[in-house]
Structures are given as structure tokens and as C-alpha cells.
């Protein structure tokens, strides 16, 4: 290497994490505890099972379904489910045989994560964020959801304070199922709107 070249070494992500943590610790802030708490929340508390309970209740209880569609935040609170304060509105989008709602966040990766879980990697990908709004039917087909021509696709762009959740159509042949059994078939993808049940 010639002498007139300046070499900038780049720290690995791991080294950067350690540096930031050390700086926080040095100022009396306990970064490791916060990281641990966050990963506990992400793995144990913010899980799609929460949203699945909401969906199952909406399927069996028409009055609840109506409250859910009117004021999502208040309705999920009835089931003991909370959302961060900055998720000011939960808008629940009801699918029908001829309407497929799909959510995205064109700017970054926002979701109603306390209900449907943290976003999948593909949701955060520029490819999905940019294409689902322009060619939603094609993107859905690539993801394995082929919709009949008479199904209208509605794409909803999440913002910081308005979060969305899709209410999937209840599958046929689930008559008489318990709420718990119904909840067990509801997936994260179906609540994002990229699959049907
Ligand atoms: Fe976002």
C-alpha cells in the first residue's frame, strides 16, 4: 500500500454495540438491562398470539367486532392487550371475500407490534415497501397469494401514530370451534394481509 493513502478502519457492528454500551454504562445507564428487557418483550410479550386472540373474538362476537372496527385501541384493551402511547390509533381492516387489505410502512417498518409481533424481515425490505403500493397484486402473487380478479386489493401505509391490523375472513368449516382453537389458526401474515386463511 502506498504511503499517501489514508486507511480508515471500520468497526464491526459488534464492536460498535460494545462501544455504545460502554458509553451508556459510563454515564450510569444500564444498557445491558434495557437490551435484555427489550428482547424479553419481543420474544415473550409482543407475539402474534395477541392479535390472533383479537381476531378469534371478533369472529365469535359480533358486538366486539363492531367495537373493534370502531375503536381498535379500546377494543383490544378489553382483552387486556395494550399498545404503546404513541400508537394513538389502531385501525382494524376487515377483509371480505371480495376485499383484501394489506398493510405496509413505506417509510420504515412500523406495525402494531404489540399485537401482531415484530415485523418480518421482508416487511422492512425496500423491495416490499416500494412495490406493494405500486403492484400489490403481483407482490401478493409472488408471496403465494393469488387473488381472483374480482377481489379488490387495498394497501394501507402505516404511520407513527396510526397502526393497522387486518381482520382475516373466518375460514369455512370452522363452525362451532372454540375461540382458542380459532385463534390457533390465525397467522402473523394473515394479519398483515399477505395471506388468507
Ligand atoms: Fe415505519
Amino acid at each position: 500500500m502506498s504511503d499517501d493513502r489514508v486507511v480508515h478502519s471500520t468497526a464491526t457492528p459488534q464492536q460498535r454495540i460494545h462501544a455504545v454500551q460502554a458509553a451508556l454504562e459510563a454515564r450510569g445507564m444500564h444498557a445491558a438491562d434495557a437490551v435484555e428487557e427489550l428482547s424479553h418483550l419481543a420474544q415473550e410479550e409482543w407475539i402474534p398470539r395477541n392479535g390472533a386472540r383479537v381476531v378469534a373474538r371478533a369472529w365469535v362476537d359480533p358486538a366486539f367486532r363492531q367495537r373493534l372496527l370502531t375503536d381498535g385501541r379500546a377494543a383490544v384493551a378489553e382483552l387486556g392487550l395494550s399498545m404503546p402511547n404513541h400508537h394513538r390509533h389502531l385501525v382494524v381492516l376487515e377483509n371480505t371475500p371480495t376485499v383484501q387489505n394489506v398493510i405496509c410502512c413505506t417509510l420504515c417498518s412500523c406495525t402494531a407490534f404489540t399485537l401482531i409481533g415484530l415485523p418480518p424481515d421482508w416487511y422492512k425490505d425496500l423491495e416490499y415497501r416500494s412495490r406493494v403500493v405500486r403492484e400489490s397484486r403481483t407482490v401478493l402473487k409472488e408471496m403465494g397469494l393469488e387473488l381472483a380478479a374480482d377481489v379488490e386489493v387495498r394497501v394501507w401505509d402505516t404511520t407513527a401514530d396510526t397502526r393497522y391490523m387486518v381482520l382475516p375472513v373466518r375460514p369455512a368449516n370452522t363452525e362451532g370451534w372454540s375461540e382458542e382453537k380459532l385463534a390457533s389458526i390465525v397467522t402473523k401474515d394473515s394479519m398483515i394481509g399477505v395471506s388468507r386463511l
Side-chain angles (χ1 to χ4, degrees):
M1 188 174 297
S2 64
D3 292 336
D4 58 347
R5 284 186 59 186
V6 179
V7 176
H8 297 282
S9 65
T10 306
T12 64
Q14 205 62 38
Q15 289 169 325
R16 293 185 214 182
I17 289 167
H18 286 315
V20 171
Q21 285 195 347
L24 290 169
E25 297 288 345
R27 288 161 181 77
M29 290 177 266
H30 304 294
D33 293 350
V35 169
E36 191 152 321
E37 191 193 343
L38 201 61
S39 68
H40 164 76
L41 287 168
Q43 286 166 33
E44 310 289 335
E45 308 284 340
W46 301 336
I47 49 175
R49 172 85 189 153
N50 296 332
R53 281 178 53 213
V54 174
V55 170
R57 175 64 59 88
W59 283 343
V60 301
D61 182 343
F64 176 79
R65 184 174 124 267
Q66 202 48 57
R67 293 197 295 280
L68 183 67
L69 297 175
T70 305
D71 182 347
R73 257 191 89 102
V76 301
E78 294 177 30
L79 302 187
L81 298 169
S82 62
M83 301 179 70
N85 286 338
H86 72 281
H87 294 192
R88 291 177 55 213
H89 308 287
L90 173 67
V91 177
V92 176
L93 309 160
E94 186 177 34
N95 280 352
T96 72
T98 55
V99 173
Q100 179 69 27
N101 293 286
V102 185
I103 62 176
C104 67
C105 178
T106 54
L107 287 179
C108 46
S109 59
C110 302
T111 56
F113 57 79
T114 58
L115 303 174
I116 68 174
L118 291 176
D121 287 344
W122 55 259
Y123 184 92
K124 299 182 268 188
D125 203 282
L126 179 62
E127 171 100 357
Y128 174 77
R129 294 188 282 122
S130 58
R131 289 183 62 221
V132 75
V133 288
R134 286 185 284 117
E135 40 181 344
S136 45
R137 203 172 283 273
T138 306
V139 170
L140 291 177
K141 188 176 173 185
E142 288 168 4
M143 296 180 82
L145 178 60
E146 194 157 2
L147 295 167
D150 67 338
V151 177
E152 179 193 348
V153 181
R154 297 179 188 163
V155 182
W156 302 77
D157 188 8
T158 309
T159 65
D161 62 4
T162 299
R163 307 289 165 136
Y164 297 105
M165 181 183 131
V166 174
L167 176 58
V169 175
R170 179 174 174 168
N173 309 320
T174 57
E175 304 301 321
W177 284 24
S178 69
E179 236 178 282
E180 197 176 353
K181 189 172 176 188
L182 288 168
S184 74
I185 61 169
V186 180
T187 61
K188 181 189 287 194
D189 281 4
S190 72
M191 294 184 283
I192 294 176
V194 295
S195 76
R196 294 197 143 197
L197 298 174

